[in-house]
Amino acid sequence: MRIGVHSGNILSGVIGANKWQFDIWSKDVDIANRLESTGEAGRVHVSGQTLQQLDGEFIYEEGTAKARDDPVLRKYEIHTFLIKPPSSRVSMLGFRYFCCDVIVFILFFFF
């Protein structure tokens, strides 16, 4: 599983007359989608904006080469980072909570 996280603004709404569907749109949604698609399996790929929101809670490394070459990420000058899995058992619990929060966020807004 790959996870891409970007912090920004969205426009959301419900579409349809008979069968309602919830959807979100914005350049920030496109950026998050690109982070996911250019990420690595088993890793959380975040933008620089999201990394600032994490307040140094996690260890990170530079993003993938695919992200550096992605036209959308280059257009918006997005610098990307991969969250490194923690080495200790205690830290791993926090990492799992972070990943679960991200998955819940994605499921809540996309489904």
Side-chain angles (χ1 to χ4, degrees):
M1 176 189 313
R2 296 183 314 246
I3 299 174
V5 182
H6 176 66
S7 301
N9 299 313
I10 62 167
L11 174 67
S12 63
V14 177
I15 304 170
N18 295 328
K19 182 182 178 195
W20 291 0
Q21 290 184 323
F22 180 79
D23 204 356
I24 58 176
W25 309 268
S26 79
K27 71 175 181 79
D28 295 312
V29 172
D30 293 336
I31 291 168
N33 183 35
R34 294 299 180 120
L35 288 170
E36 182 273 327
S37 65
T38 60
E40 294 178 4
R43 304 292 294 276
V44 179
H45 198 192
V46 300
S47 65
Q49 293 88 321
T50 300
L51 188 64
Q52 289 176 344
Q53 299 294 319
L54 295 176
D55 292 327
E57 290 289 322
F58 299 95
I59 299 170
Y60 59 91
E61 59 189 29
E62 284 292 319
T64 63
K66 284 197 291 188
R68 286 190 290 277
D69 296 335
D70 186 84
V72 172
L73 297 176
R74 289 180 69 166
K75 176 182 177 182
Y76 294 113
E77 299 179 0
I78 302 297
H79 300 284
T80 69
F81 304 90
L82 292 166
I83 303 296
K84 293 180 83 170
S87 57
S88 72
R89 173 93 171 116
V90 174
S91 298
M92 190 63 169
L93 293 175
F95 185 72
R96 285 186 184 149
Y97 289 135
F98 171 72
C99 290
C100 289
D101 288 345
V102 170
I103 292 168
V104 168
F105 174 79
I106 290 169
L107 291 176
F108 178 74
F109 279 102
F110 288 102
F111 296 103

